[in-house]
Amino acid sequence: MRVLVRIFITCLAVYCPQYAFSQDTVKQYHPVVRGTKADSISPERENIYPYASLQQLLKGNTAGVYIQEPSGESGAFTSIALRGTAIPFITSKDIYESQPTIVLDGIPLIMDHPFTFDIQLFGYNHLGPATNLLSAIDLNNIEKIEVVKDFGRAALYGPRAANGGVILLTTKAPVKGHRKISFNTYFGIVQRPHIYTTNAKFENDFRQRFYNKYATTEQLQTYPLYLRDSTNNAYYGPSNWTDLYFKNTPVYGVNASLSSGTDRANFRFAAGNQRSANTADNSHMDRYNAMFEINMVPLHGFTVSSMISASRLERTRSRWLRDRFAEMQYLPDLSNPLPPNKQYYGQYLDQFTKSFDDNKTNEVNGYFKINIKPSNSLQITSQFGFDYNEGLRDLFYPSTLLETVNYLSNYFGYNQRVIFNNTITFDHTWKEKHHVTIEAGQGFQADYHRYNYAYAYKGPNDLIRINLLHSDNTKTEYLSPKSFDHALIFSFLDKQRTRLLSFYGRAAYDYNDQLDFSVLFRADGSSSAQPDNWWLFTPTFTAGLNIKNTWLKDNHAIDVLKLQASWGRVGRLMPDDRFGEGPQYTSDLSFSNNPVRFSYNGFPGISRAYSSGYIGYGITWPYTDQLNVNVSTALLNNKLQVSLDLYNKTDHNMLLGVPFSAEYGYNFRYKNGMEVRNRGIDLSLKAAVLPAKSAVQWVPGITVNHNKNTLLALPGGLNELSVANGSKLLKVGNSIDQYWVLENEGIYNRDADIPTSKEGKRLNYKGIPLMAGDPRWKDINGDNVINDDDKVLKGNVSPVISGGFNNDFYWRGFTLGLSFYYALGRKVMNAEVANRFDFINREGKIDMSAVKEITFWSKVGNYDKYPLYNPWSTVDAYRIDQDLFMENGSFLKLRTLSLQYDVTTAKWWNKKGKINGLAIYATATNVFTITPYTGGDPELVDFNGFDTGYSLPLSRTYTIGLKMDL
């Protein structure tokens, strides 16, 4: 009975917030609008799996949510897309700006700002620890996850809902009337994969086909030295580098909580530790977390609540050469790659142990809230909340790793958010039929991002690993370096500060649980908007019809049938605070390879920000409109539950950098005017297949999202625009995530096969005549010239259809769970194979494209399917911008497999004992993948859809665990 009462009160608090604090047993942190719907996930089903982040839990569990993991590395950045994206991914910054807001107990969490990319020559990773901040959330402490995509409810969060909606997390509430101790722990191992390794003989055989067919005598003389000597055991010996690179690695997790209290005061304390790991390159991450929450009712109708949570992440990163050289901005002689023999590779690793790379992230968030209920119909709530996270990275590489040049760098950055919200709500029911809610609210949010970054080269020896400064402020050398050359020390700092002030009013009416409608008006003022456009006013309307209660009360086959519709508008915040200033001066000096230099040799400088684009006057708020129609039903005594959403979401007046008059010196100018539309369907279905009396129960569930984005307009009335240094094309009427490629139709085996014009001029590529051994590219416009005019938009980076398929089987206390994840209709560019075939243009250059990782000595993909082009051709025969390397990247994965036994269901169990719950479980994750893709894992691609090979695998993990409640 007590459990039933608990469930009833929880449901009452979620659907009728006016009663949330009168019961004092559960918390109510998020505004809830009657008649709207959110996709909910119960972490109870998922907390047996060794998930290291919120993104991993969300994957495949909710329709309309697409998770892109570019790497299986522990703690690496992972992106979330709600109902597609309206932001074209031109640079690494764009993926950060497209992420939805995560709201934890009413606190919108603050993420890393991408402004560090402004000072990076290579934008592979965010500066600092580059840790996924959502990995700091201990999912054992989360009671419920709601994905709110319908603007009927999401619009309450204003501009924070612009990227498709918001994701609400509610922590577990304290219990009352008794004490509860919960414990969940697991131990497991990540299994090393089987890799097809190669050595110099394999590489030599691969290249000889090209040399035998096309090489001249001069080209034969430039054959790489490390492939010439077949007696060199470092390269021609056993290729057993995987013994040092891949290892079976232990993982574990433990979480414990204590909760108790009465009607007047209750609390919950939780603490945990988790180690997640990858089988590759010694990559792992440790998380330590603790939280405390308390509710007190000193007076009837007066409730005080508070919570504080703290987490620490310590991450050991992979040792990619590319990432190391990008951090150092220094490239050594790349003539000889790392050898595949473990004896010689081990010597390199021994030198690497003299370096250190400490990556630490600390996060603290919490709130203090007061709720006053002067009467049953009136409620006043005031909440103060904060979220603070800081990242630290201390890095040192010895001179033995880089041609006698040692290197160190230090990064410290933090993100800080403070919120202050006040609401007053009148909620009343007349004659048990007429329900009215009137609410007014005010919110204030202040964000502050800052980082300090410095690096130095060529210290006196490898024993001095910090940048020591003179500390006596009475001396003239105060703050000057002791060890490193002053001219070889470089420092950077930057900050972003924004404010958001909001007011809203909402009125809702419900008639007899048959018909409901509501209206919401918001006013949002942002400091990042320009002074003459600080404020944006947005409306939202919702309406609902309970068809079951209105016309089908006597129909016993239909238990629920509801129709809901909403149309709403929310503003989109400017990407940084420069837009609020209009035209301005910022530091933009380039005395080295850095895109931005804030000082040179200790002397500050200033110049126009030519590389960061021109910001003029007249920039106005971008905004998003969304129409959503939902039909939800339950049939056959709730055995079949279906929810279907149709949505049309259009982003208007968006900012984009467009070409600017060259005489002004700026690379581009930001202008309003881009419009992107996302249309799609979200479908969720869950069923109880077998009869209720059956000893075995099977409950399958499926989520499906179909999304299509279309570019409707470009600034200034443009029809198309080349972006990303000419590698992408934005064209009105097409999707913003398509590849821009030449169509490949084979190879020209003879010069006579190459078409000629009427004047006898041979077909050429941008003025370079094609020859035998060159690709047969399609001349789209028939002008006898292959150039950008012959490129076509093909394929999509994002899947056309994505979702998950879950199956739960129950029998006598046993639960067998299987979860599949799928993505259909997406394309992947196999850049790893393209780079392998393009070996002539990448061999031995002092360029990032010439870097060969230890994973170079492995074979991924089917090399026999590609034509044998002339790799010395001046048309770059194996260039990446052709559909030769574009493959079907659809996949179906068995992500998780679990078997759980509830010991308390056994006949011999003492029902009156102190242990209320006890379950043992075993899980396997990343079990298998079915895909037509011939490369590696089709899921592990970057934001451009390129499989570059720079990703650690999604490791297969096996765990056993125990859950217990006292």
Side-chain angles (χ1 to χ4, degrees):
M1 177 62 69
R2 183 165 54 189
V3 174
L4 294 176
V5 172
R6 172 74 175 167
I7 294 173
F8 171 76
I9 294 173
T10 302
C11 295
L12 193 63
V14 171
Y15 293 103
C16 301
Q18 67 272 21
Y19 297 113
F21 285 90
S22 63
Q23 301 298 330
D24 297 326
T25 55
V26 292
K27 304 175 297 178
Q28 198 282 325
Y29 295 101
H30 313 303
V32 176
V33 180
R34 292 173 61 88
T36 62
K37 172 188 168 294
D39 294 334
S40 297
I41 303 171
S42 174
E44 285 299 319
R45 182 187 182 276
E46 308 293 334
N47 63 14
I48 62 174
Y49 300 111
Y51 295 139
S53 68
L54 174 66
Q55 291 97 328
Q56 291 179 356
L57 184 148
L58 289 172
K59 187 185 294 187
N61 279 326
T62 305
V65 180
Y66 179 64
I67 307 297
Q68 176 62 58
E69 287 191 82
S71 175
E73 183 173 346
S74 298
F77 177 78
T78 301
S79 67
I80 306 175
L82 296 187
R83 293 181 168 178
T85 179
I87 298 178
F89 295 153
I90 300 172
T91 68
S92 299
K93 297 177 65 174
D94 298 319
I95 192 71
Y96 283 79
E97 294 168 0
S98 67
Q99 297 306 292
T101 300
I102 312 298
V103 182
L104 175 65
D105 288 344
I107 308 167
L109 301 181
I110 189 170
M111 298 290 108
D112 277 327
H113 197 285
F115 64 158
T116 64
F117 287 106
D118 292 340
I119 63 169
Q120 295 177 247
L121 184 61
F122 304 101
Y124 302 128
N125 298 300
H126 195 285
L127 276 182
T131 301
N132 176 10
L133 293 176
L134 297 181
S135 298
I137 300 172
D138 188 345
L139 299 173
N140 287 280
N141 295 325
I142 303 301
E143 180 74 28
K144 183 172 60 174
I145 300 172
E146 296 178 276
V147 181
V148 184
K149 299 163 290 185
D150 178 3
F151 276 10
R153 180 175 177 187
L156 282 167
Y157 297 88
R160 292 181 289 256
N163 287 321
V166 295
I167 299 175
L168 309 180
L169 309 182
T170 304
T171 57
K172 293 179 178 178
V175 301
K176 73 166 188 176
H178 65 281
R179 180 180 63 192
K180 181 179 180 181
I181 300 174
S182 297
F183 182 76
N184 184 16
T185 184
Y186 67 85
F187 178 82
I189 193 168
V190 290
Q191 182 184 33
R192 60 176 293 179
H194 297 287
I195 301 296
Y196 187 114
T197 60
T198 64
N199 63 1
K201 182 182 184 308
F202 177 91
E203 186 66 19
N204 183 67
D205 293 343
F206 170 73
R207 298 189 183 196
Q208 280 302 315
R209 300 178 299 162
F210 298 93
Y211 278 88
N212 293 338
K213 187 172 183 179
Y214 296 112
T216 64
T217 303
E218 181 181 357
Q219 289 164 346
L220 286 170
Q221 294 174 351
T222 61
Y223 199 71
L225 293 176
Y226 69 94
L227 295 177
R228 290 187 183 184
D229 185 4
S230 60
T231 64
N232 186 345
N233 199 53
Y235 292 98
Y236 278 87
S239 181
N240 48 9
W241 57 273
T242 55
D243 294 343
L244 300 177
Y245 190 79
F246 294 105
K247 294 183 181 297
N248 294 333
T249 307
V251 294
Y252 57 81
V254 58
N255 174 273
S257 65
L258 170 65
S259 179
S260 184
T262 66
D263 292 341
R264 302 300 295 269
N266 47 69
F267 75 94
R268 183 175 185 273
F269 172 75
N273 171 227
Q274 181 190 51
R275 165 163 286 198
S276 56
N278 193 285
T279 181
D281 212 11
N282 194 36
S283 169
H284 61 269
M285 183 181 69
D286 293 285
R287 183 187 68 211
Y288 308 89
N289 58 276
M291 69 166 297
F292 180 75
E293 54 184 318
I294 186 171
N295 300 313
M296 295 182 293
V297 187
L299 300 171
H300 179 71
F302 182 81
T303 305
V304 179
S305 305
S306 65
M307 184 274 288
I308 188 167
S309 174
S311 300
R312 180 179 178 88
L313 303 174
E314 297 181 355
R315 180 182 173 210
T316 298
R317 301 169 70 150
S318 61
R319 293 168 289 196
W320 293 115
L321 292 174
R322 182 199 68 174
D323 293 350
R324 177 156 65 91
F325 298 152
E327 162 73 26
M328 300 178 68
Q329 302 181 68
Y330 185 101
L331 288 170
D333 181 6
L334 298 173
S335 301
N336 296 322
L338 292 172
N341 186 272
K342 74 175 183 180
Q343 175 184 351
Y344 298 93
Y345 180 54
Q347 294 174 3
Y348 162 76
L349 294 181
D350 289 340
Q351 296 301 318
F352 204 94
T353 59
K354 300 176 183 178
S355 64
F356 63 79
D357 187 358
D358 293 334
N359 296 265
K360 298 180 176 64
T361 302
N362 301 314
E363 179 165 14
V364 180
N365 53 54
Y367 66 83
F368 178 81
K369 181 161 62 174
I370 296 175
N371 179 266
I372 303 173
K373 287 184 64 68
S375 68
N376 291 333
S377 300
L378 187 64
Q379 179 175 234
I380 301 171
T381 303
S382 181
Q383 180 186 28
F384 168 80
F386 69 93
D387 183 29
Y388 172 85
N389 60 71
E390 61 182 22
L392 304 93
R393 188 184 190 191
D394 294 317
L395 181 65
F396 173 79
Y397 294 126
S399 58
T400 52
L401 280 179
L402 197 68
E403 299 173 339
T404 73
V405 177
N406 56 23
Y407 171 88
L408 66 81
S409 71
N410 305 100
Y411 173 93
F412 173 74
Y414 63 86
N415 308 290
Q416 173 184 292
R417 172 169 290 170
V418 176
I419 65 166
F420 187 57
N421 298 327
N422 298 281
T423 60
I424 180 169
T425 305
F426 175 78
D427 191 287
H428 192 72
T429 301
W430 285 275
K431 299 181 180 180
E432 299 181 353
K433 289 186 177 182
H434 305 278
H435 184 98
V436 174
T437 301
I438 300 175
E439 181 176 284
Q442 170 270 326
F444 175 73
Q445 175 181 302
D447 293 350
Y448 187 50
H449 308 265
R450 180 169 180 167
Y451 70 83
N452 295 328
Y453 175 60
Y455 62 86
Y457 298 101
K458 210 166 186 178
N461 57 64
D462 289 342
L463 299 178
I464 300 177
R465 302 183 177 188
I466 59 174
N467 183 19
L468 297 172
L469 305 176
H470 289 281
S471 58
D472 189 348
N473 58 7
T474 64
K475 302 294 182 64
T476 56
E477 66 270 18
Y478 176 57
L479 294 183
S480 61
K482 288 184 178 182
S483 304
F484 287 81
D485 188 340
H486 189 277
L488 297 178
I489 299 175
F490 306 94
S491 299
F492 304 83
L493 57 92
D494 202 356
K495 65 180 181 180
Q496 290 273 342
R497 188 190 298 269
T498 58
R499 303 286 188 270
L500 178 66
L501 179 62
S502 305
F503 301 92
Y504 75 88
R506 182 177 67 90
Y509 172 75
D510 177 275
Y511 173 73
N512 200 28
D513 198 20
Q514 294 179 354
L515 179 68
D516 64 81
F517 59 87
S518 68
V519 59
L520 166 73
F521 289 101
R522 284 186 64 92
D524 295 286
S526 172
S527 65
S528 61
Q530 295 197 340
D532 56 345
N533 286 285
W534 271 338
W535 292 93
L536 178 70
F537 299 90
T538 55
T540 300
F541 306 95
T542 68
L545 175 64
N546 191 328
I547 300 174
K548 165 67 178 179
N549 288 354
T550 304
W551 295 306
L552 302 175
K553 288 184 178 182
D554 298 328
N555 190 319
H556 301 294
I558 300 175
D559 303 293
V560 175
L561 182 57
K562 294 182 178 180
L563 175 65
Q564 300 287 336
S566 69
W567 180 90
R569 172 175 294 177
V570 298
R572 180 180 292 276
L573 296 174
M574 304 296 175
D576 62 52
D577 60 6
R578 292 193 305 128
F579 290 89
E581 303 294 332
Q584 80 262 192
Y585 289 93
T586 60
S587 179
D588 192 12
L589 302 175
S590 297
F591 289 92
S592 72
N593 288 332
N594 293 94
V596 179
R597 173 72 59 196
F598 288 97
S599 64
Y600 174 68
N601 201 23
F603 295 97
I606 196 166
S607 72
R608 286 187 182 273
Y610 292 114
S611 65
S612 57
Y614 174 72
I615 296 175
Y617 296 113
I619 291 178
T620 58
W621 275 75
Y623 59 92
T624 304
D625 292 339
Q626 179 175 258
L627 173 66
N628 190 93
V629 178
N630 169 259
V631 179
S632 56
T633 185
L635 308 173
L636 307 175
N637 292 324
N638 292 307
K639 288 185 177 181
L640 177 62
Q641 301 174 16
V642 182
S643 176
L644 176 67
D645 284 89
L646 307 176
Y647 62 88
N648 185 91
K649 181 166 66 76
T650 305
D651 285 75
H652 301 271
N653 206 37
M654 296 178 68
L655 288 166
L656 185 68
V658 297
F660 198 34
S661 300
E663 59 268 25
Y664 292 104
Y666 291 93
N667 292 359
F668 54 88
R669 177 184 182 179
Y670 285 101
K671 293 185 68 176
N672 291 110
M674 183 171 64
E675 293 189 9
V676 178
R677 182 184 65 206
N678 280 271
R679 280 180 176 171
I681 300 172
D682 289 343
L683 173 66
S684 299
L685 185 149
K686 190 173 183 179
V689 177
L690 301 178
K693 295 181 180 180
S694 174
V696 177
Q697 290 295 314
W698 173 30
V699 181
I702 189 169
T703 62
V704 180
N705 171 254
H706 164 68
N707 184 82
K708 178 176 176 56
N709 68 73
T710 305
L711 179 64
L712 300 180
L714 286 168
L718 295 173
N719 185 59
E720 61 181 47
L721 179 64
S722 174
V723 296
N725 296 320
S727 63
K728 288 186 175 183
L729 180 71
L730 298 177
K731 186 174 182 178
V732 174
N734 291 76
S735 297
I736 60 174
D737 65 335
Q738 291 188 287
Y739 300 94
W740 192 35
V741 293
L742 295 168
E743 292 188 295
N744 190 294
E745 298 181 315
I747 184 173
Y748 291 114
N749 290 308
R750 300 175 304 169
D751 287 344
D753 296 335
I754 302 173
T756 57
S757 65
K758 294 180 181 180
E759 295 79 16
K761 187 177 180 180
R762 182 184 296 179
L763 181 69
N764 66 86
Y765 175 78
K766 295 184 178 181
I768 303 173
L770 295 174
M771 304 177 65
D774 284 342
R776 188 189 293 265
W777 288 318
K778 190 174 182 180
D779 184 10
I780 299 294
N781 57 9
D783 62 355
N784 209 49
V785 177
I786 304 296
N787 53 26
D788 289 348
D789 294 336
D790 298 298
K791 285 185 177 181
V792 295
L793 292 169
K794 295 184 68 174
N796 291 90
V797 176
S798 301
V800 177
I801 299 176
S802 63
F805 178 44
N806 300 327
N807 292 270
D808 291 324
F809 298 88
Y810 304 92
W811 178 75
R812 293 186 178 180
F814 287 94
T815 302
L816 175 65
L818 300 92
S819 294
F820 292 88
Y821 179 55
Y822 65 88
L824 307 174
R826 66 194 288 263
K827 298 294 184 180
V828 171
M829 190 66 75
N830 198 334
E832 183 177 14
V833 169
N835 294 341
R836 175 77 70 169
F837 276 82
D838 196 28
F839 57 88
I840 291 299
N841 292 319
R842 296 172 181 271
E843 187 67 55
K845 298 192 308 182
I846 307 300
D847 184 84
M848 198 65 76
S849 64
V851 175
K852 296 182 179 65
E853 307 290 344
I854 190 63
T855 53
F856 171 78
W857 302 107
S858 63
K859 180 178 181 292
V860 179
N862 180 12
Y863 294 172
D864 296 333
K865 62 179 285 189
Y866 299 99
L868 206 66
Y869 295 138
N870 181 0
W872 289 274
S873 172
T874 53
V875 302
D876 294 340
Y878 290 107
R879 62 191 314 117
I880 194 65
D881 59 340
Q882 57 181 318
D883 63 1
L884 175 67
F885 300 106
M886 190 169 67
E887 299 187 38
N888 186 351
S890 302
F891 63 83
L892 172 67
K893 289 191 172 193
L894 177 54
R895 285 198 67 233
T896 59
L897 173 65
S898 67
L899 180 63
Q900 186 173 190
Y901 179 60
D902 185 354
V903 181
T904 63
T905 61
K907 293 182 179 180
W908 50 264
W909 181 258
N910 182 6
K911 307 295 183 180
K912 297 181 180 180
K914 293 184 178 180
I915 300 178
N916 298 323
L918 180 62
I920 56 176
Y921 58 87
T923 72
T925 60
N926 299 312
V927 183
F928 64 77
T929 302
I930 301 174
T931 178
Y933 182 58
T934 63
D937 191 329
E939 188 178 356
L940 301 179
V941 299
D942 65 13
F943 63 88
N944 285 317
F946 282 42
D947 176 12
T948 62
Y950 280 93
S951 58
L952 301 188
L954 294 172
S955 300
R956 186 174 299 162
T957 307
Y958 303 96
T959 65
I960 55 174
L962 172 72
K963 294 195 299 181
M964 182 169 56
D965 290 332
L966 299 172

